Amino acid sequence: MLKGIIMGAAGSAAAALLGAYLFITLGGMPANADAEPSRLERWAARKSLRATIRRESPKGPNPEALSDENLLAGVRLYAIKCAECHGAADGKASSIAKGLFQKPPQFAEEGVEDDPEGATFWKILHGIRLTGMPSHRNALSERQIWQLTLFLKHMDGLTPAAGKAWKDVPSQAEPSK
């Protein structure tokens, strides 16, 4: 009896794996960026990302001091490296951002001020797989990533100079037709 149960469970598992394999390899799971992901795909991606960030992100405080110099450096880096996807102070998404899946957050509207700085640092350093978020490991120094993180953490309470620089970041949104 026990042997039959084990064989039945093994057969069921093998059939499920074969079914999943065929579903994926025959194109049953959409790969296009404009398709709605399944609940399973969204769940797996969120769980994996959160667990990885929790395990790998720096735990200590930002080594860059909260100063005008570092905030302004962060704003400048944001304008060059981030605004095209994450928007400027006007909160309008660019055509690139509108075409990405997953939709990148527009930080003027939905910032990351509440996120731990280590998590933001990790996302900038490593990027996020299967999204448009690239790794900046080879594009920015560790200090620059921390300065960018500092700006993002404090973008809702910037110094006057950094606030003006943030408002001066050019919008990447295309003009209305």
Side-chain angles (χ1 to χ4, degrees):
M1 168 97 172
L2 183 59
K3 184 178 178 182
I5 293 172
I6 292 172
M7 292 299 286
S12 296
L17 289 173
L18 178 62
Y21 175 80
L22 290 173
F23 177 74
I24 292 168
T25 60
L26 295 175
M29 186 167 87
N32 48 314
D34 57 357
E36 188 68 28
S38 69
R39 284 188 288 175
L40 177 62
E41 185 181 354
R42 287 192 308 266
W43 173 84
R46 277 194 306 269
K47 286 288 187 185
S48 177
L49 179 62
R50 288 179 185 148
T52 301
I53 289 172
R54 197 170 33 252
R55 184 182 70 246
E56 295 181 1
S57 67
K59 306 296 186 256
N62 189 329
E64 297 302 317
L66 181 58
S67 67
D68 259 349
E69 176 189 346
N70 284 325
L71 287 171
L72 287 166
V75 171
R76 285 192 293 274
L77 289 165
Y78 182 91
I80 295 166
K81 298 289 187 183
C82 311
E84 187 166 15
C85 292
H86 293 290
D90 66 3
K92 295 178 182 172
S94 69
S95 60
I96 300 260
K98 290 175 184 174
L100 281 172
F101 179 80
Q102 303 180 0
K103 301 288 184 221
Q106 299 302 295
F107 289 148
E109 302 295 321
E110 47 185 315
V112 292
E113 300 90 347
D114 294 338
D115 291 1
E117 287 181 281
T120 301
F121 177 89
W122 186 95
K123 290 174 187 176
I124 297 167
L125 178 67
H126 295 289
I128 301 174
R129 186 182 301 226
L130 303 177
T131 72
M133 180 62 189
S135 165
H136 286 86
R137 174 187 303 275
N138 297 318
L140 299 172
S141 69
E142 187 171 313
R143 179 170 193 234
Q144 290 174 312
I145 294 172
W146 279 116
Q147 288 172 323
L148 187 50
T149 298
L150 190 71
F151 161 65
L152 293 170
K153 179 68 174 181
H154 297 281
M155 62 189 305
D156 61 349
L158 295 170
T159 62
K164 180 182 179 331
W166 168 230
K167 291 201 180 347
D168 289 344
V169 171
S171 176
Q172 303 292 316
E174 295 180 9
S176 300
K177 294 179 183 179

